C-alpha cells in the first residue's frame, strides 16, 4: 500500500484533463444507529457499516418496473421500456425488504445524463424502497480522476461509490474494496457478464470493479440516406463511385464530406444533415473517439509487441499510423454538425439520435437513442463494424503493410464506465446493495434502451436478438445488424484496448492535449503527436518503466487473443 501511495504522489503534479464546471456536492452521513439485522463490531471496523434492518416488502413480487412512476424526473421516461421485476437477489422486491432509514452513502459521478442520470434515478428509487439516502456528487468527466486521486491520497474516502473508467484500475486498484464472490458467481448480479469483461473488472486476481457497463465502438449509419436514389446519383456524379456502407476510413470520409448538407426526402423537418457526428470536445472523451480512427492504421496483426508501446516501451503515439488517423480526424471537422467541434459524448448521442448525421461510430448509446420510440430516424439506422484501413503501419519493419484481403480491421473494445467502492468507505454494505440494485435485471434492461444513460450491454443474455425484439420492442432488421457486429467484435483476433496501466489518467490527458491542438489547427498532426510522445516518455520515467511494462503486458495479451 505504501508503494501505491507513492505512485499517487508522483502522479499528482502531472496535469490532468479539466472539463468546464463541477456540479453540486454532498457529504456522507455515517452516524446511523445500528439496527435489527445490523453488522458486528468486526464488520464496522472493516467499514461495512451497520447494514439494513429487515422490513416488509413494499414492491410487488415481479411487479411492473415503470420509470414514469418513479420519483426521479418521471416525465423524462415516456419512451422508456417497461418490464416486470426480476427474481434476482437485488430486484425491486428484494431491495424493498431492506431498511436503511437514517443511513446514507455518497456517490462520485459525472453529471447527467451519461451515467450521472441513472445514478440519480436509481438513487432516488433506492431511497423510496429502503429509506436510505444516496447523495450524488456530480463533477465533470475530466475531474473524476483527480477527485478520486485526491481522496485516495488522504486515506479517508469521502465517497462510498465512485463512478470511473476501468482503465484507471492500474492507478487505483489497491484502493478499491474487493467485490465479494457472491456477486460475481452463481446467481450473483455480475455472474452472467461476458468473460472478457469479468477479466477487465479484476486487478491482481480480485474483482475490484462492480461492472455496470460493457463497451465497444462500432459504426451507426443511416440506411435512408445511403439507399436514397438522389443521394446515390449525386455521389456517383461527384466521385465516380457507388454509394455503399464504407469499408475503410477513407471511404467514410469521402461519403461524409460529399453528402454533407445533402437534402434527402426522409430527413426530419428542420434538421440539417451533416456527414458525421463525432466526439471532438477535448475534455469529454475525444481521445477515445480518436482511437477508432487510428486503430486499423496502427494495429498490425503481424506485430504482437504492442499497439501503444513497442517492446522497448517506446511510445507509438506518433508513428505514421497514428498520424494518418489524426490527419483524417482533422478532415472530419469540415463535415460535422454546426457546433460539432465542441461535441462531447452526450452531444453525439442526442445529435445522431435526432437525425443530424449520416454516420456515428463510438459507443452503443447513439444506437440506443436512434432506436427509441421517439427517435425520428427509428428504423432507418443499421450497425456495422467500424471502418478499416487499406494499409497498416508495421512498427517493427518501419514500413506500411498491405493487409491480407485488402482491408485491415482492428475493433476498439473500450473499457467503459464502471464503479468501485473505496476501501475507505465506512458504509460498504449499503454501497454494495445500492450498486447491486442499480444493476439488477429490470434496471439493466430498461437502461439499455435509453441512449443517454451510458449503460451498454455486458451480459451474455443481451447478445441475442430476442432479448431486444421480443423483450424490449426493437425492430428485427436493424437489431440483427447490431447483434452481428457485437458478435464479430467478441471473436475478433486483432483488437485494440484502452491502456490499462498506472498513469492512465495523465497519459490519456496528454494524448487529448495533442489531438485537440491538431483539431483546432494550432499544430499539424505530426508535430502534435510528437509532443504527445515526449510527454509520454516523461510520464513513463516518472512512474517507472518496469511498473508500466508489467501492467501493459496484460493489455498486449488481450490485443492478440
Amino acid at each position: 500500500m505504501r508503494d501505491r501511495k507513492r505512485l499517487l504522489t508522483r502522479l499528482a503534479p502531472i496535469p490532468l484533463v479539466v472539463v468546464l464546471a463541477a456540479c453540486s456536492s454532498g457529504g456522507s452521513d455515517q452516524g446511523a444507529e445500528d439496527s435489527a439485522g445490523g453488522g458486528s463490531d468486526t464488520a464496522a471496523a472493516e467499514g461495512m457499516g451497520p447494514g439494513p434492518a429487515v422490513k416488509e416488502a413494499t414492491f410487488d413480487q415481479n411487479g411492473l418496473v415503470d420509470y414514469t412512476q418513479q420519483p426521479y424526473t418521471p416525465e423524462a421516461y415516456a419512451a422508456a421500456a417497461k418490464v416486470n421485476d426480476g427474481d434476482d437477489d437485488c430486484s425491486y422486491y428484494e431491495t424493498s425488504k431492506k431498511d436503511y432509514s437514517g443511513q446514507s452513502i455518497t456517490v462520485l459521478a459525472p453529471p447527467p445524463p451519461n451515467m450521472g442520470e441513472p445514478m440519480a434515478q436509481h438513487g432516488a428509487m433506492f431511497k423510496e424502497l429502503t429509506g436510505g439516502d444516496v447523495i450524488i456528487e456530480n463533477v465533470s468527466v475530466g475531474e473524476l480522476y483527480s477527485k478520486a486521486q485526491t481522496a485516495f491520497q488522504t486515506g479517508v474516502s469521502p465517497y462510498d461509490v465512485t463512478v470511473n473508467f476501468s482503465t484507471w484500475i492500474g492507478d487505483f486498484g489497491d484502493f478499491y474494496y474487493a467485490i465479494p464472490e457472491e456477486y460475481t458467481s452463481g446467481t450473483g448480479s455480475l455472474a452472467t457478464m461476458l468473460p472478457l469483461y469479468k477479466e477487465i473488472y479484476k486487478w491482481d486476481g480480485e474483482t475490484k470493479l462492480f461492472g455496470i457497463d460493457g463497451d465497444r465502438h462500432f459504426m451507426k449509419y443511416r440506411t435512408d440516406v445511403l439507399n436514397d436514389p438522389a443521394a446515390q446519383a449525386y455521389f456517383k456524379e461527384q466521385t465516380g463511385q457507388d454509394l455503399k456502407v464504407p469499408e475503410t476510413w477513407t471511404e467514410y470520409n469521402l461519403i461524409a464530406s460529399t453528402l454533407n448538407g445533402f437534402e434527402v426526402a426522409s430527413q426530419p423537418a428542420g434538421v440539417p444533415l451533416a456527414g458525421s457526428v463525432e466526439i471532438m470536445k477535448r475534455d469529454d472523451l475525444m481521445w477515445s473517439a480518436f482511437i477508432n480512427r487510428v486503430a486499423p492504421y496502427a494495429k498490425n496483426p503481424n506485430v504482437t509487441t504492442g499497439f501503444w508501446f513497442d517492446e522497448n516501451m517506446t511510445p507509438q503515439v506518433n508513428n505514421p499510423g497514428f498520424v494518418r488517423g489524426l490527419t483524417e480526424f482533422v478532415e472530419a471537422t469540415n463535415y460535422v454538425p454546426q457546433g460539432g467541434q465542441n461535441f462531447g459524448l452526450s452531444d453525439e448521442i442526442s445529435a445522431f439520435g435526432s437525425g443530424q448525421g449520416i454516420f456515428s461510430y463510438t459507443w452503443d448509446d447513439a444506437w440506443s437513442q436512434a432506436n427509441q420510440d421517439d427517435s425520428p430516424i427509428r428504423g432507418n439506422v443499421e450497425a456495422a463494424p467500424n471502418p478499416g484501413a487499406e494499409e497498416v503501419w508495421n512498427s517493427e519493419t518501419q514500413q506500411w503493410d498491405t493487409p491480407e484481403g485488402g482491408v485491415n480491421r482492428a475493433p476498439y473494445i473500450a473499457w467503459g464506465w464502471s464503479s468501485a467502492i473505496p476501501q475507505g468507505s465506512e458504509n460498504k454494505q449499503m454501497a454494495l446493495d445500492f450498486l447491486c440494485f442499480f444493476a439488477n435485471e429490470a434496471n439493466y434492461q430498461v437502461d439499455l434502451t435509453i441512449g443517454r444513460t451510458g449503460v451498454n450491454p455486458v451480459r451474455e443474455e443481451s447478445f441475442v436478438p430476442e432479448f431486444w425484439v421480443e423483450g424490449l420492442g426493437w425492430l428485427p432488421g436493424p437489431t440483427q445488424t447490431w447483434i452481428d457486429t457485437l458478435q464479430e467484435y467478441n471473436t475478433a483476433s486483432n483488437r485494440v484496448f484502452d491502456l490499462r496501466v498506472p498513469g492512465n489518467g495523465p497519459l490519456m490527458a496528454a494524448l487529448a492535449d495533442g489531438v485537440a491542438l491538431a483539431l483546432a489547427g494550432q499544430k499539424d498532426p505530426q508535430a502534435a503527436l510528437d509532443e504527445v510522445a515526449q510527454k509520454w516518455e516523461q510520464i513513463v520515467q516518472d512512474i517507472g518503466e518496469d511498473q508500466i511494462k508489467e501492467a501493459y503486458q496484460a493489455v498486449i495479451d488481450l490485443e492478440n487473443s
Side-chain angles (χ1 to χ4, degrees):
M1 181 68 76
R2 202 172 295 129
D3 290 342
R4 305 300 292 164
K5 288 183 178 178
R6 278 201 288 266
L7 171 59
L8 289 178
T9 301
R10 288 202 299 272
L11 289 175
I14 300 173
L16 299 172
V17 183
V18 179
V19 191
L20 293 177
C23 299
S24 62
S25 64
S28 176
D29 176 13
Q30 301 295 344
E33 295 292 330
D34 205 358
S35 54
S40 65
D41 291 341
T42 301
E46 294 173 349
M48 296 308 296
V54 178
K55 64 183 181 66
E56 292 292 325
T58 56
F59 195 92
D60 292 339
Q61 192 166 13
N62 301 124
L64 185 67
V65 174
D66 179 357
Y67 284 10
T68 67
Q69 302 301 310
Q70 295 190 11
Y72 181 80
T73 60
E75 66 280 358
Y77 301 106
K82 299 175 178 61
V83 302
N84 288 326
D85 192 22
D87 294 320
D88 49 313
D89 293 341
C90 300
S91 65
Y92 280 70
Y93 171 71
E94 293 295 339
T95 300
S96 73
K97 296 178 181 179
K98 299 171 183 176
D99 187 353
Y100 274 109
S101 299
Q103 298 186 54
S104 68
I105 56 173
T106 298
V107 178
L108 177 68
N114 201 260
M115 199 49 65
E117 179 179 325
M119 280 291 163
Q121 199 273 348
H122 299 320
M125 192 60 196
F126 187 84
K127 177 178 174 60
E128 184 169 294
L129 294 173
T130 70
D133 285 318
V134 179
I135 302 165
I136 311 294
E137 180 177 335
N138 295 123
V139 300
S140 54
V141 172
E143 290 183 289
L144 284 172
Y145 182 95
S146 57
K147 278 279 188 179
Q149 181 187 46
T150 300
F152 295 141
Q153 282 176 320
T154 65
V156 179
S157 177
Y159 311 114
D160 303 287
V161 172
T162 60
V163 178
N164 48 40
F165 298 142
S166 51
T167 50
W168 300 342
I169 199 169
D171 292 329
F172 302 148
D174 288 349
F175 298 91
Y176 293 152
Y177 168 70
I179 305 301
E181 188 177 354
E182 64 188 89
Y183 294 89
T184 62
S185 62
T187 59
S189 57
L190 305 182
T192 63
M193 287 191 305
L194 293 171
L196 170 65
Y197 290 94
K198 284 186 177 181
E199 291 304 311
I200 285 172
Y201 299 141
K202 289 182 179 179
W203 188 251
D204 288 339
E206 293 184 309
T207 300
K208 289 297 188 78
L209 298 173
F210 201 103
I212 52 178
D213 177 37
D215 287 338
R216 74 295 297 156
H217 289 184
F218 61 93
M219 182 170 61
K220 282 73 71 176
Y221 62 92
R222 292 273 299 277
T223 56
D224 59 323
V225 176
L226 297 189
N227 295 333
D228 182 82
Q232 292 174 341
Y234 178 77
F235 186 77
K236 182 77 170 182
E237 175 187 327
Q238 295 296 313
T239 69
Q241 301 180 26
D242 292 329
L243 183 59
K244 62 183 181 65
V245 179
E247 291 286 323
T248 67
W249 281 112
T250 301
E251 292 176 353
Y252 181 106
N253 276 21
L254 181 63
I255 295 170
S257 59
T258 303
L259 296 183
N260 183 53
F262 191 83
E263 295 183 5
V264 293
S266 58
Q267 183 66 4
V271 179
L273 180 66
S276 180
V277 178
E278 315 207 12
I279 300 175
M280 292 183 167
K281 186 177 180 181
R282 173 181 175 274
D283 302 326
D284 199 341
L285 302 175
M286 169 266 284
W287 57 267
S288 194
F290 169 62
I291 294 171
N292 292 283
R293 285 188 166 273
V294 168
Y297 288 118
K299 179 61 176 73
N300 193 314
N302 299 316
V303 176
T304 59
T305 49
F307 171 78
W308 295 104
F309 296 93
D310 67 11
E311 59 185 347
N312 299 315
M313 290 303 292
T314 301
Q316 293 300 295
V317 289
N318 61 334
N319 74 29
F322 274 78
V323 173
R324 177 71 177 274
L326 181 54
T327 300
E328 293 187 344
F329 197 25
V330 171
E331 291 173 6
T333 61
N334 297 310
Y335 49 77
V336 295
Q338 184 175 3
Q341 291 188 49
N342 292 314
F343 277 9
L345 175 57
S346 295
D347 303 305
E348 181 214 26
I349 295 167
S350 60
F352 185 78
S354 63
Q356 293 184 44
I358 301 171
F359 299 119
S360 173
Y361 60 80
T362 62
W363 283 273
D364 303 72
D365 309 286
W367 169 262
S368 298
Q369 188 88 359
N371 279 278
Q372 290 180 191
D373 288 341
D374 57 353
S375 171
I377 59 172
R378 187 172 191 264
N380 291 326
V381 177
E382 291 187 356
N386 268 343
E390 62 281 358
E391 57 181 359
V392 55
W393 181 251
N394 189 316
S395 60
E396 294 179 344
T397 65
Q398 296 293 295
Q399 293 180 339
W400 288 100
D401 290 345
T402 300
E404 185 178 350
V407 176
N408 182 54
R409 293 192 180 275
Y412 172 37
I413 312 298
W415 299 112
W417 292 114
S418 61
S419 59
I421 298 172
Q423 290 275 19
S425 165
E426 296 181 3
N427 204 348
K428 296 184 182 72
Q429 187 57 56
M430 184 176 173
L432 277 168
D433 284 340
F434 168 65
L435 287 176
C436 193
F437 171 74
F438 181 108
N440 71 24
E441 291 177 14
N443 287 335
Y444 173 69
Q445 290 182 51
V446 180
D447 289 346
L448 286 175
T449 67
I450 304 171
R452 63 186 183 271
T453 63
V455 177
N456 294 312
V458 69
R459 299 177 184 175
E460 293 171 348
E461 62 266 26
S462 312
F463 289 81
V464 293
E466 293 77 15
F467 177 88
W468 304 92
V469 176
E470 298 174 10
L472 299 172
W474 282 19
L475 299 175
T479 299
Q480 188 63 57
T481 68
W482 180 50
I483 294 295
D484 291 344
T485 298
L486 301 187
Q487 295 289 21
E488 182 173 330
Y489 278 26
N490 289 340
T491 58
S493 60
N494 187 50
R495 301 181 291 191
V496 168
F497 290 83
D498 283 317
L499 186 59
R500 192 171 72 152
V501 299
N504 172 271
L507 287 166
M508 290 301 105
L511 182 64
D513 287 342
V515 175
L517 289 172
L519 290 177
Q522 297 177 18
K523 289 195 173 184
D524 67 65
Q526 184 70 68
L529 293 178
D530 285 345
E531 186 174 293
V532 174
Q534 292 174 4
K535 290 181 179 179
W536 276 37
E537 289 173 354
Q538 185 61 54
I539 294 169
V540 170
Q541 182 178 333
D542 290 341
I543 295 174
E545 180 179 315
D546 290 344
Q547 195 166 9
I548 293 181
K549 187 173 185 177
E550 181 182 358
Y552 183 47
Q553 186 57 52
V555 179
I556 293 175
D557 292 344
L558 284 171
E559 288 177 356
N560 302 320
S561 64

